[in-house]
């Protein structure tokens, strides 16, 4: 067995090298090489929307009308930065957006390390053992979580805010006394909701456990009310603005992706089976769901044994309980109401939960073991976290390097290059339509109506429902339709472009010559 101090040094070195590689790829290499390897396609929606605000087009992706399909916190952070930068170029906007997310991701990593450290009781585990486990957890986070294609998007903010709230729960419990603590907790839950609207189940789980805690006499009802006030003060303006402006409480992207309240388990499972979710995320989500169900059963047992008040107080138990209820509810909802797609950012805190449960298991076993056995268990846990991170990183590196090889050989074209070529082939006054081209839309730097509707409004979905797509586009003076022609197809032949409404399940067609 490798000594704890050597494991910690190895894990620290790999973490540092991985994070350095992320920074170099994002900021010192041409953007086309980081597209899809670190920056997802949806980043184009956020970055283009925020840049359009700085250019004077308002909250609009297509530069024609307000956009409803976005989670607001990340654009709100980008807009003042872009304005200070003086309406940055596309490349500058790309890197500025990545910079905000890199800082958020690194800060979330620091908070995650503190969470892991808090799960291990200091008197029982020696400093080298604790350091090795924390270093292994950091390596897993750096190799797996920090290398995901989330930059330029909202997931790093969810991780940062979520880890910050979990750290408060670990240190103070769900209902720390005091007005300041109440407003801070409620604000963090509100910010998590604004970072991703589908983080609402986290707030539901937190307030549910707060109410349960108050009911058994562990906390004051005033604390619950003050936290609710802070949460509503942040969430309500966005919801009211969305309803008054677009006629819907939720962003249109959320309505497209969720079938709620229409329960169709077969359709939901079909959407999950054909998801864009990576196999490693699928495995992590499945593990988290199973662990969360066990966590809920454990929580129920604590309630029956009259130990619930102790569990929901300061300590790792409250964090495990909160994440168990949240993830059990989140994944159950996904299983019942998924439509069109499931993405890795939908429950990003699942990866944090899995590590915390593993370390909590170490704490439970090691607390009863002899010192030598405890040291061995700590080394095994650290090595397991490091090894899992390395295996997952190797898988990503294989996929990414294969894509880069095909790009270098001219066998594959990245969306940044596609967008630039479309921009060069059109005029600044042209209006484009078509496809789910987030990054391509950003780099084209043109007015572009999003074809799959995730960044549009309810009116677009209604036009598809009523088969008025041609009328919809003519009314907006669209000059070009962007469409991917299958290999071998004669581009001079007439083309039928069939567009499906993700919300209503109907479709309309454009006939192009």
């Amino acid at each position: 067995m490798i000594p704890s101090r050597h494991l910690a040094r190895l894990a620290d070195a790999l973490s540092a090298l991985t994070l350095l590689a992320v920074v170099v790829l994002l900021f010192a290499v041409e953007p086309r090489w980081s597209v899809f390897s670190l920056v997802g396609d949806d980043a184009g929606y956020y970055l283009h929307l925020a840049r359009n605000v700085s250019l004077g087009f308002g909250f609009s992706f297509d530069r024609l009308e307000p956009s409803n399909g976005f989670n607001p916190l990340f654009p709100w952070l980008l807009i003042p930065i872009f304005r200070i930068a003086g309406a940055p170029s596309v490349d500058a906007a790309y890197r500025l957006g990545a910079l905000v997310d890199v800082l958020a991701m690194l800060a979330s990593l620091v908070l995650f390390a503190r969470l892991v450290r808090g799960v291990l009781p200091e008197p029982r585990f020696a400093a080298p053992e604790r350091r090795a486990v924390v270093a292994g957890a950091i390596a897993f986070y750096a190799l797996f979580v920090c290398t995901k294609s989330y930059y330029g998007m909202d997931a790093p903010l969810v991780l940062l805010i979520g880890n910050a709230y979990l750290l408060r729960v670990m240190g103070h419990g769900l209902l720390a006394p005091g007005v300041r603590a109440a407003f801070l907790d409620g604000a963090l839950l509100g910010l998590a909701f604004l970072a991703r609207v589908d983080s609402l189940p986290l707030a539901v789980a937190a307030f549910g456990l707060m109410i349960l805690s108050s009911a058994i006499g562990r906390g004051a009802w005033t604390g619950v009310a003050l936290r609710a006030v802070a949460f509503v003060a942040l969430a309500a303006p966005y919801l009211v603005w969305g309803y008054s402006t677009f006629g819907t409480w939720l962003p249109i992207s959320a309505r497209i992706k969720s079938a709620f309240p229409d329960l169709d388990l077969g359709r939901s499972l079909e959407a999950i089976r054909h998801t864009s979710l990576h196999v490693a995320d699928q495995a992590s989500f499945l593990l988290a769901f199973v662990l969360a169900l066990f966590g809920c059963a454990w929580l129920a047992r604590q309630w029956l044994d009259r130990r619930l008040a102790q569990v929901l107080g300061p300590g790792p138990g409250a964090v495990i309980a909160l994440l168990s209820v949240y993830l059990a509810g989140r994944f159950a909802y996904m299983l019942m109401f998924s439509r069109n797609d499931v993405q890795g950012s939908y429950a990003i805190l699942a990866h944090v939960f899995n590590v915390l449960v593993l370390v909590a298991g170490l704490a439970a076993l090691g607390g009863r073991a002899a010192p030598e056995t405890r040291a061995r268990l700590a080394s095994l846990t650290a090595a397991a976290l490091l090894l899992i991170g390395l295996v997952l990183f190797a898988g990503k590196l294989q996929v990414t390097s294969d894509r880069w090889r095909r790009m270098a050989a001219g066998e594959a074209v990245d969306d940044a290059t596609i967008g630039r070529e479309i921009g060069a082939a059109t005029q600044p006054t042209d209006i484009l339509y078509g496809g789910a081209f987030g990054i391509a839309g950003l780099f084209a730097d043109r007015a572009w109506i999003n074809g799959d509707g995730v960044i549009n409004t309810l009116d677009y979905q209604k036009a598809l429902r009523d088969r008025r797509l041609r009328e919809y586009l003519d009314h907006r003076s669209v000059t070009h339709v962007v469409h991917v022609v299958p290999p071998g197809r004669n581009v001079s032949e007439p083309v039928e472009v069939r567009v499906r409404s993700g919300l209503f399940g109907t479709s309309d067609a454009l006939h192009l010559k």
Side-chain angles (χ1 to χ4, degrees):
M1 178 61 63
I2 302 176
S4 295
R5 63 180 183 278
H6 295 329
L7 263 176
R9 289 170 183 166
L10 175 61
D12 288 343
L14 290 173
S15 299
L17 288 172
T18 302
L19 295 174
L20 178 62
V22 168
V23 170
V24 169
L25 185 57
L26 286 172
F27 302 110
V29 179
E30 216 283 331
R32 64 189 296 255
W33 299 102
S34 56
V35 167
F36 293 130
S37 59
L38 287 175
V39 178
D41 187 64
D42 285 4
Y45 301 134
Y46 286 102
L47 301 176
H48 197 42
L49 187 149
R51 182 169 178 268
N52 283 342
V53 174
S54 68
L55 292 171
F57 295 105
F59 275 98
S60 175
F61 176 80
D62 58 23
R63 300 180 177 178
L64 301 174
E65 54 191 343
S67 297
N68 181 312
F70 63 93
N71 297 301
L73 186 58
F74 188 53
W76 288 349
L77 291 175
L78 291 179
I79 287 166
I81 295 173
F82 285 5
R83 282 179 171 164
I84 292 171
S89 67
V90 169
D91 281 18
Y94 183 88
R95 297 192 193 279
L96 284 171
L99 176 61
V100 173
D101 268 350
V102 165
L103 295 176
M105 187 69 84
L106 292 176
S108 77
L109 176 55
V110 173
L111 298 179
F112 172 72
R114 292 180 63 185
L115 280 169
V116 174
R117 192 176 294 111
V119 174
L120 289 176
E122 191 166 0
R124 296 179 184 174
F125 287 85
E129 298 164 359
R130 298 177 82 232
R131 184 176 181 278
V133 173
V134 172
I138 290 174
F140 168 84
Y141 200 95
L143 290 162
F144 179 48
V145 179
C146 293
T147 58
K148 291 182 172 298
S149 55
Y150 290 154
Y151 295 94
M153 295 167 61
D154 44 49
L157 291 176
V158 175
L159 284 168
L160 173 60
I161 297 164
N163 286 346
Y165 180 69
L166 295 176
L167 196 59
R168 283 194 55 78
V169 171
M170 181 175 289
H172 307 284
L174 283 161
L175 283 168
V179 174
R180 180 178 176 277
F183 276 108
L184 180 56
D185 287 349
L188 286 172
L189 290 171
L191 289 172
F193 170 77
L194 294 177
R196 277 200 70 90
V197 172
D198 56 19
S199 295
L200 180 61
L202 177 63
V204 172
F207 280 108
L209 289 177
M210 288 180 211
I211 292 170
L212 183 59
S213 182
S214 296
I216 62 176
R218 179 70 190 184
W221 290 104
T222 304
V224 180
L226 291 175
R227 285 166 172 82
V229 167
F231 175 81
V232 171
L234 284 173
Y238 171 68
L239 295 174
V240 171
W241 171 78
Y243 186 78
S244 63
T245 306
F246 304 105
T248 176
W249 294 104
L250 296 176
I252 194 66
S253 56
R255 294 193 58 185
I256 291 173
K257 297 297 179 67
S258 172
F260 182 84
D262 298 325
L263 176 61
D264 188 335
L265 190 59
R267 179 179 63 179
S268 184
L269 292 175
E270 185 73 10
I272 293 172
R273 279 197 297 267
H274 295 89
T275 180
S276 60
L277 197 64
H278 189 271
V279 64
D281 282 326
Q282 293 183 37
S284 183
F285 280 11
L286 177 61
L287 175 61
F289 187 36
V290 173
L291 292 175
L293 292 176
F294 276 108
C296 290
W298 165 76
L299 190 63
R301 179 62 182 270
Q302 302 308 305
W303 178 68
L304 292 174
D305 291 344
R306 302 182 183 276
R307 292 198 295 262
L308 189 59
Q310 181 181 354
V311 169
L312 297 180
V319 174
I320 299 296
L322 172 61
L323 287 176
S324 294
V325 175
Y326 158 57
L327 292 172
R330 183 71 184 101
F331 288 129
Y333 182 93
M334 288 166 61
L335 285 172
M336 293 185 293
F337 299 111
S338 289
R339 178 167 58 188
N340 298 322
D341 193 16
V342 176
Q343 297 177 356
S345 55
Y346 283 12
I348 187 69
L349 290 173
H351 310 310
V352 174
F353 174 66
N354 288 337
V355 175
L356 293 182
V357 170
L358 176 62
V359 178
L362 167 65
L365 290 174
R368 304 189 187 101
E372 297 80 6
T373 303
R374 186 163 55 241
R376 192 175 298 112
L377 287 172
S379 294
L380 284 172
T381 302
L385 287 168
L386 176 58
L387 181 61
I388 293 171
L390 283 170
V391 170
L392 295 175
F393 178 76
K396 179 180 179 65
L397 191 61
Q398 180 182 7
V399 173
T400 302
S401 60
D402 180 65
R403 180 180 180 83
W404 286 347
R405 179 193 60 76
R406 290 188 292 114
M407 287 169 55
E411 299 171 1
V413 183
D414 63 282
D415 278 31
T417 299
I418 291 173
R420 286 168 173 156
E421 291 178 350
I422 290 173
T426 56
Q427 300 299 317
T429 55
D430 286 335
I431 299 174
L432 283 57
Y433 165 78
F437 296 109
I439 288 291
L442 169 70
F443 281 95
D445 195 15
R446 294 288 181 265
W448 190 322
I449 300 175
N450 171 238
D452 67 3
V454 300
I455 197 73
N456 296 348
T457 65
L458 186 59
D459 288 342
Y460 175 73
Q461 298 294 323
K462 290 179 178 178
L464 292 174
R465 179 195 63 186
D466 301 335
R467 294 175 173 80
R468 294 185 293 103
L469 178 58
R470 171 64 71 178
E471 176 187 338
Y472 181 92
L473 300 182
D474 288 344
H475 181 69
R476 286 154 182 81
S477 302
V478 168
T479 58
H480 297 80
V481 174
V482 182
H483 177 65
V484 177
V485 178
R489 177 72 177 267
N490 186 345
V491 295
S492 64
E493 295 178 357
V495 174
E496 180 186 77
V497 179
R498 183 157 293 277
V499 185
R500 182 177 180 274
S501 166
L503 183 59
F504 297 111
T506 58
S507 63
D508 199 358
L510 293 174
H511 297 277
L512 309 177
K513 296 181 180 180

